[in-house]
Every structure is written in structure tokens, then in C-alpha cells.
Amino acid sequence: MNESFIGKKSSAAGGWGALKSCGKQLLQSGNPLSGARAMLKANQPNGFDCPGCAWGDPAHGSSFEFCENGVKAVSWEATEKRATPAFFEKHTVSELSKLSDYELERNGRLTHPMRYDAHSDKYLPVAWEDAFAEIGDILKSLDSPDQAEFYTSGRASNEAAYLYQLFVRLYGTNNFPDCSNMCHEASGVGLRQAIGVGKGTVLLEDFEKADAIFVLGQNPGTNHPRMLGDLRRASLRGANIVVFNPVRERGLEKFSDPQAKLEMLHGGSTDIASHYFQPLLGGDMAAVRGMSKAVFAAEDAAIASNSPSVLDHDFLAEHCADFADYRAAVDATSWAEIEDQSGLSRQDIEQAAQVYISAERVICTWAMGITQHLHSVATIREISNFMFLRGNIGKPGAGLCPVRGHSNVQGDRTVGINEQPSDAFLDALEQEFGFTAPRKHGHNVLGAIGAMLDGSAKAFIGLGGNFARATPDSTLVAKALKNLKLTVNIATKPNHSHLMPGEVSFILPCLGRTEIDLNSAGQSQVVSVEDSMSMVHGSAGINRPASPHLLSEVGIIAGIAEATVGTQTVSWAALADDYERIRSHIEATVPGFADYNTRLRTPRGFHLRNTASHREWNTPTGKANFFAGALPSQTVHQKARVAQTSFALQTFRSHDQYNTTVYGLDDRYRGVYGERNVIFIHPDDLAALGAKSGDRVNVVGEYHDGIERIAADFRFVCYDIPRGSVAGYYPELNVLVPLGSAGDQSDTPTSKSVMVSFHTGTAA
């Protein structure tokens, strides 16, 4: 059996492996010196915001505010390779569809606007004005604006996102399927219910003051590596870092900081997690409730012994509602139920709780390991409950910290990309621009796909991203896109969404984040983004555009808008030529952006005030709200155990990718090389299947809705993961995530809660 794809795992995240990877990526770009110079401007006050993750920038940064994945993202964008009209002339769409995501995007940057020709099955060049005119004509020909879907990727700037929502609402719909629908929607929903604002309450500086940091369902080593530097510094000063993650992730165990000269010189590393617990998939809520149960037990013991209180009674009395109901719910939850659902022992949970009790200042941070389950909103409410107990919100070094993915996914939502906009925001738009905004709620991602499938949606415009590969149920989504009258993709590189054309289809190439964006006077334009800590800062590209035919995202939106809704209400060209005018409109319609253009010039930008961090609660009760719901009746892991032949699957990224973009085929932190079709599984589960590491298998979805879902020809990899749980990479495994399975209240696909079985016979 050939197991050459399985190799040695990195001894620590970062280190020489990261430096070697950075060098490799820069060389592969074809312009390593230019790429290296660009990295010195990444996340700098006079440079560009990294197009990767949304981790915050320090107030007093160094010259090297970038990470390995940032180098990959910038090199990927700054490649010398070009997907010109000649490239599309050589290949039909059918031929390109056979390429992997990695192979397709390696063809380089798009250089010209292209229109699909069904007769030749090829994309042909088209003039910008002709593309805009035809798109506008088709949009105007629809029976209703609600027949069009307008998708947004978290890469888009505040300026592009605001102009996009303004155009679409002038057109007449709130159909805004957004990438946040597939990742942190549950965080926004749960936090708004709990504390009155759908964002985290911490600043980056709080990580310097926390006594303990709880990291749940998160893998910063791959998803936001700069966070490891902050965790490393916290560990070195003695803060406890408590990790809950079903999978043993190298970055949460050890980190070697490439900027720490002595550590690098001696081949050393720093321990990150002081405590590492591996709950079963879907068991995080039970684990957190168990910690609360242990806190209450410690409080009862303190009362009995006349010792200092464990709970922050002043905070609970002044700032919280429904505390007694929550205490009753915890008391009614047995340890047997908690242990069975979490997969952790009472002793382990009590140990984690003791860290919490002993710490004066605690941060709780999480990502998609929490948000992509059926009960994600309830889990986030439970996390909030836990943090309320000792007043760990609204004080330095403490708070709630959902870590977003793409660099401006939070900012897009702030400036209006929302299928359920507030009346206050729509009122402000109407007053600022003098039109009647649509009030009917629109489609999120799953709603948009459903409308495409049933024929009620006729058009799709994607502002960045790779919709077809990011979404669940890949086969159905491909069918949905091909069913449309119009598909438009605004992009920097070819991807599989472009290869699922509707009746009329356009690829519109845009500038990347690293590229200079000039207005008609030859002046460089600045855009802005918001990170996970609600810091808003500017970004100005420094590289020459990949092609003279590229337009900015703002310019493309303005062109489509003018061709569709005209210029009677808005002068789109004027806004596209001066982004300060767009920011003035944001200032007038979005709270928190007063004096936007002036404050944006401040090094590191400015902070959007978070009311909850000041212990002001914009909730119906006027307080922080406890949640007293029961644990889930059954998690995906418990369902799989009952089925006996089934497993609980979670999808995640490899170390050589960001979202759907695959930079390479290695995952050195997990010891997998040159292969992506893999299933990570516990050795005992593999033995029980009668299989060996490296064996090929078909992965079969077990959703029982009459739809056959098979991911063919995957290979087993033994890994440190709980028995009954398995894991593998998206987007390859998205074919197994059913559209019908979505989070309660969040409507997020349950990509961390997929029931599967294996056919170990001949792989298709």
C-alpha cells in the first residue's frame, strides 16, 4: 500500500517550516523580490490590509505584521501568471471543469472581462460597457427584483460593500446571500440575544492582560496564524490557555515564532495550551455547561465554608437577567448527561472550570468549530452564560471574541450587507438618498440556493468569492447556478463558480487588495476594512495592476448600477472616482462612523464603539441575558453512535489553503503531503473497519432525504481524534453537507455535523 502522502508532522507551528514555505510561495509567484517588498507593507499604516484573515493589528506593530498564510495570500494575488483571453480560447468550460481547484486557480490572474459563448463552450472577451449594458438589461427585464441574488465575499472593502447594498436596494431587493451566512452567523445571532451586539467585546490589547484564555472550536495555526503570536506572549507571561478541540492541532500545542531570534536559532518552541481537551463533535455546549455546573458547586462550597464568593454577584445583580432560570437549568442537567454528550470526564471539566475560577480576567474565543452545528446559537448563548458568572465582560483583559474568517467579513455586515436590515438603517438610507427602500426580508445563502433550484431566482451576481465551492451540497448548487438566466462573477482568478454558467454569464476581473487603485486624476484611492476587534483601518495597494483592463470592485459595481438603475438618484461614476464620498455617505447612515475620512488617516485606524464592552446592553431587557435552554436532545456524535455504522464528520481547511483557495497540496501540521482527498480517523476506528492507513474509500452522506451524496476515492489517515469522529478538507467534502441541515436560528450549513459511512470496496 502506497502511504507516501503521509509524512512527519511539524514539531511546532511556525518556525523554519513557515519561513521555508514563505520562500517557496514567493518563488512560485514568479516575482519574489516584488512579493517580499509587498509583505513589508502588509498590515502597515501606510500599506495594505492583508487579504487573508480578520485578526487585529497591534497598536504598536513591528515591520513584520504578517504570517505564513498572509505571504501565501499576497503571493497568490501577485503572481506573474495570467489567465488571458488566449487561455480561455484554448480551453472549453467543459475541459476546465475537470481541473481541481488548485489546478484551475494556478492559471493566474484574470486580465479581461469575459462573456460565455454557449455555442463554442468558451469564454470570449467583451468590452466593459457592453458587459454592463447587457447585465443591466437582463436585470431590468426580470419580473421582480427579488428574482436576483447578490452574493458578497468577505474580501470586499467597506466602500465596495456599501455601494453594492445601495445599488441593490435602489434596484428593489434585500437578497443578500453573504459568506457570513456560512461561517459566523450563529455568533451574530447568539451575541445579539445575549449582549445586544453581534460582535466580540475585546480589543487585541486585552490578550496582553488576560489571566486565562479559553479557545473553543478554533485552529489559529492554519486559519489566523498571527493569533499564535498573541497566544505565545500570553503563555510566556503565565496566562493559562485552555483548548477545547476534537482534533489535536499543532498550532494549539506548540508555536515557534519566526520573529523570536533565539527561539529560532535553537530550534525551540513555546507551549501554547496549558490544558487541551478533545470533546466529541457537537459536545462543546455540554462541556461549557459542565464548567458552569462546577462553578456553581464551588460557589456553594464557598458559602458553606464562609469563603469569598466565586460568582460576581454585583455584576449578576446589576447587569444580568434570568440568572435564576439559568442556575435551575444547570442544576437540572446531570453529570451523566454532560459527560455522555461532551465525551469528557467530569474530572476534566472540573479541572477546566478551576482555571476559570482562579482567573480574574478571562477571554473566551471561538470560530467555526462552534458555529457550524445545529445548536450553534445555543452553544454561543451557553458560552456567554459562562462568562457572565464572574463578570468577564466589560473589563480589561476579559470578554467574548468570535474570530472571523475573511479580512472584512465583519465590515461588510456593518455597512449594510444584510438580508434582514434594521428599519433604522433603511430609514437612514431613505433620508440620505431620497428613495423608498425595500422592507421585505431577502434571501440568505440557503434561501438563495433554494430559489435558484425552484426557479424563482433568475440571476446571480457574486462580488468576489467562489460561491459554488463554498456552499454545501455541491452537486445541487451546480445545478442551481446553471438553471439561471444570468450569472456574473467579479473575481481576480478563475474558479469553479465561473464554470457553471447560466444562459448568459460574465467574468468581470477586478483589482486585488495589493494593487494600486487610481482615480481619474491619477490619485491612489484608499479603501477600509474592519477586523475581528471592530478596528476600522485603511488599505492602499502598492503593486502595479495585473492588467490595464482591470477595474476596482467599486468601479464594477458602479458600472452595473448605472446600467441598471440609472443616475437620477445616485451619481455612480462620481462615487467610484472618489471613495471619500462613499465614506461620507457611510458616516451619514451607519452609527459609529462620525468623521470617517479624518479618522481613517490615523495610524491603525479607529475603533467602532461596542456597547457591551462598556456594559451597556441593547437588549429588550436592557441587561445581559442568560439563556436557560436544555442541552441538545442528541448531537451528531450521539446519532452516529446509535447508528453504529456511521461516523460524525467535520470539514476543515488544510494548512495550504484559505477558504476555498488552495495554495498547495501539503498540510505539514497534520503530516499530509501532496494529497487532499483524505479522511482523518482514530486508529481503533480504522482497525474496526478492517482498513489500514492509506486505504481508499468512498464517503457516503447519511442524511436520508432521498439524495445520494458520495465523495469518491478518499484515503484514510490515522489521527488523534475521538473515536466515532472523522474529519477532512473542504471544499472537496462539501458534496456531503446537505442543504436541508442548517443551524437553528442561524441557517448556517452544519459543516461540522455531517453523518457519514464508508464503502471500503472499489472506489469510484
Side-chain angles (χ1 to χ4, degrees):
M1 178 62 63
N2 178 19
E3 295 187 24
S4 60
F5 71 98
I6 302 174
K8 183 179 179 180
K9 292 190 293 185
S10 299
S11 59
W16 291 107
L19 292 179
K20 181 180 178 181
S21 175
C22 289
K24 177 182 176 182
Q25 293 295 327
L26 289 170
L27 286 171
Q28 287 181 345
S29 73
N31 197 350
L33 292 179
S34 176
R37 286 195 297 269
M39 293 315 305
L40 295 177
K41 291 292 187 179
N43 301 314
Q44 298 296 325
N46 60 343
F48 61 89
D49 185 75
C50 178
C53 77
W55 190 247
D57 301 329
H60 305 287
S62 71
S63 299
F64 299 95
E65 288 301 331
F66 60 85
C67 65
E68 177 187 351
N69 275 9
V71 173
K72 292 175 183 176
V74 170
S75 300
W76 178 92
E77 186 173 286
T79 178
E80 288 291 298
K81 296 178 181 178
R82 299 289 182 264
T84 65
F87 164 77
F88 287 101
E89 176 60 31
K90 291 179 182 177
H91 305 285
T92 66
V93 165
S94 299
E95 291 169 348
L96 293 174
S97 297
K98 298 175 183 178
L99 299 179
S100 69
D101 299 275
Y102 175 61
E103 292 168 331
L104 182 59
E105 296 196 25
R106 285 193 71 190
N107 286 289
R109 292 290 302 278
L110 296 161
T111 61
H112 293 69
M114 307 294 290
R115 185 189 187 280
Y116 180 66
D117 176 62
H119 178 73
S120 64
D121 191 30
K122 294 179 179 179
Y123 274 99
L124 306 178
V126 62
W128 278 109
E129 58 269 25
D130 293 338
F132 292 152
E134 187 170 8
I135 292 167
D137 286 344
I138 293 174
L139 290 176
K140 288 184 288 187
S141 74
L142 299 181
D143 293 336
S144 164
D146 290 331
Q147 290 183 331
E149 309 290 346
F150 297 88
Y151 178 71
T152 317
S153 161
R155 185 195 69 191
S157 66
N158 283 347
E159 292 74 15
Y162 185 83
L163 204 67
Y164 196 48
Q165 66 80 31
L166 177 62
F167 152 53
V168 173
R169 291 190 166 108
L170 274 166
Y171 175 60
T173 185
N174 285 310
N175 284 348
F176 284 110
D178 178 52
C179 65
S180 63
N181 300 148
M182 294 180 285
C183 54
H184 266 284
E185 193 70 53
S187 295
V189 173
L191 291 177
R192 281 193 297 273
Q193 294 173 358
I195 62 174
V197 59
K199 302 180 182 182
T201 65
V202 302
L203 295 171
L204 193 60
E205 290 72 24
D206 287 314
F207 282 81
E208 301 171 4
K209 304 168 186 175
D211 302 311
I213 301 169
F214 282 68
V215 182
L216 285 75
Q218 187 177 5
N219 178 22
T222 288
N223 300 332
H224 22 266
R226 284 194 297 145
M227 182 180 179
L228 290 183
D230 295 286
L231 293 179
R232 175 182 178 271
R233 288 184 284 273
S235 176
L236 288 173
R237 62 176 176 78
N240 281 304
I241 299 174
V242 182
V243 172
F244 288 85
N245 194 316
V247 180
R248 277 276 173 180
E249 299 288 13
R250 183 59 79 220
L252 290 168
E253 296 176 312
K254 292 180 179 293
F255 176 55
S256 181
D257 189 347
Q259 296 190 52
K261 297 180 179 64
L262 287 177
E263 193 167 77
M264 292 290 288
L265 184 64
H266 294 98
S269 61
T270 300
D271 291 339
I272 298 299
S274 57
H275 304 75
Y276 204 122
F277 303 103
Q278 293 176 265
L280 301 176
L281 278 179
D284 299 276
M285 182 178 177
V288 176
R289 177 154 297 189
M291 288 193 290
S292 291
K293 194 172 183 73
V295 170
F296 286 135
E299 171 71 6
D300 293 342
I303 293 172
S305 62
N306 201 30
S307 300
S309 179
V310 171
L311 301 178
D312 186 336
H313 289 284
D314 290 340
F315 179 84
L316 294 171
E318 181 179 354
H319 293 286
C320 296
D322 302 321
F323 169 65
D325 291 340
Y326 178 62
R327 174 68 198 259
V330 173
D331 288 344
T333 309
S334 70
W335 274 111
E337 184 181 0
I338 289 169
E339 288 181 304
D340 184 66
Q341 193 162 108
S342 70
L344 301 175
S345 69
R346 176 175 177 175
Q347 181 180 1
D348 284 344
I349 294 172
E350 288 177 335
Q351 183 184 12
Q354 188 55 50
V355 173
Y356 180 74
I357 292 168
S358 301
E360 182 181 346
R361 297 171 295 274
V362 178
I363 290 173
C364 189
T365 176
W366 67 90
M368 288 184 286
I370 295 298
T371 63
Q372 291 183 325
H373 293 278
L374 285 168
H375 55 283
S376 291
V377 171
T379 301
I380 289 159
R381 295 297 305 273
E382 192 71 26
I383 292 169
S384 301
N385 293 341
F386 178 59
M387 295 290 279
F388 294 157
L389 296 180
R390 288 178 51 79
N392 275 304
I393 296 181
K395 64 182 182 183
L400 297 160
C401 182
V403 180
R404 313 283 175 169
H406 230 146
S407 60
N408 199 41
V409 63
Q410 184 161 303
D412 289 354
R413 181 58 61 88
T414 297
V415 300
I417 299 297
N418 193 335
E419 79 279 4
Q420 299 183 35
S422 68
D423 287 339
F425 177 67
L426 296 180
D427 290 344
L429 284 181
E430 291 180 345
Q431 182 173 351
E432 178 73 1
F433 294 100
F435 77 106
T436 301
R439 299 280 167 158
K440 176 185 173 184
H441 286 174
H443 293 149
N444 61 13
V445 164
L446 295 188
I449 296 170
M452 294 179 202
L453 286 170
D454 69 20
S456 58
K458 304 294 184 183
F460 171 88
I461 297 180
L463 177 58
N466 186 354
F467 184 82
R469 299 294 279 159
T471 47
D473 244 335
S474 308
T475 304
L476 286 178
V477 172
K479 177 183 176 182
L481 288 169
K482 293 176 181 179
N483 195 40
L484 297 174
K485 185 175 183 179
L486 172 70
T487 57
V488 179
N489 285 281
I490 301 168
T492 56
K493 281 192 173 184
N495 65 51
H496 274 279
S497 292
H498 310 160
L499 309 180
M500 302 170 188
E503 182 180 334
V504 177
S505 185
F506 291 92
I507 303 173
L508 304 181
C510 65
L511 294 170
R513 184 76 61 81
T514 65
E515 291 172 322
I516 299 170
D517 178 3
L518 299 178
N519 65 12
S520 60
Q523 299 168 324
S524 179
Q525 303 242 52
V526 174
V527 297
S528 56
V529 298
E530 178 186 348
D531 64 31
S532 286
M533 283 75 178
S534 300
M535 292 294 298
V536 178
H537 48 273
S539 176
I542 63 169
N543 289 337
R544 184 179 64 186
S547 164
H549 303 286
L550 302 183
L551 295 180
S552 69
E553 289 179 323
V554 170
I556 294 172
I557 295 164
I560 296 174
E562 183 169 327
T564 306
V565 299
T567 58
Q568 183 176 355
T569 303
V570 174
S571 175
W572 303 102
L575 293 181
D577 199 48
D578 185 355
Y579 297 172
E580 288 201 358
R581 294 177 180 175
I582 301 175
R583 288 191 285 272
S584 294
H585 288 305
I586 295 174
E587 177 181 339
T589 53
V590 182
F593 285 90
D595 209 13
Y596 194 176
N597 283 305
T598 300
R599 293 162 75 198
L600 194 64
R601 299 189 189 101
T602 305
R604 306 292 170 185
F606 62 93
H607 184 247
L608 289 176
R609 189 175 187 274
N610 184 298
T611 52
S613 67
H614 295 273
R615 296 188 172 180
E616 301 167 10
W617 318 104
N618 292 329
T619 65
T621 64
K623 294 189 174 186
N625 296 315
F626 274 94
F627 168 70
L631 295 182
S633 58
Q634 199 175 41
T635 65
V636 63
H637 204 284
Q638 290 171 316
K639 293 176 183 177
R641 187 172 60 202
V642 170
Q644 295 184 339
T645 59
S646 297
F647 291 81
L649 167 73
Q650 66 166 321
T651 67
F652 53 28
R653 297 170 178 152
S654 81
H655 190 59
D656 257 359
Q657 77 177 96
Y658 196 78
N659 292 340
T660 58
T661 299
V662 178
Y663 302 121
L665 302 179
D666 295 343
D667 190 352
R668 70 176 190 276
Y669 289 173
R670 300 188 182 109
V672 175
Y673 298 89
E675 178 68 79
R676 287 187 55 83
N677 281 16
V678 297
I679 293 291
F680 297 95
I681 186 170
H682 192 281
D684 292 346
D685 283 335
L686 194 58
L689 288 171
K692 303 183 298 297
S693 184
D695 280 358
R696 297 185 181 276
V697 67
N698 288 344
V699 192
V700 181
E702 298 288 335
Y703 191 59
H704 306 298
D705 61 353
I707 297 174
E708 183 179 66
R709 297 178 176 88
I710 299 176
D713 202 19
F714 279 66
R715 306 175 79 178
F716 283 128
V717 177
C718 289
Y719 210 75
D720 190 348
I721 187 171
R723 289 206 64 182
S725 294
V726 294
Y729 305 133
Y730 73 81
E732 289 83 355
L733 287 169
N734 282 2
V735 67
L736 301 175
V737 183
L739 282 172
S741 180
D744 296 334
Q745 300 182 68
S746 70
D747 220 19
T748 294
T750 57
S751 299
K752 299 292 190 291
S753 295
V754 185
M755 286 268 287
V756 299
S757 61
F758 301 113
H759 289 180
T760 54
T762 302

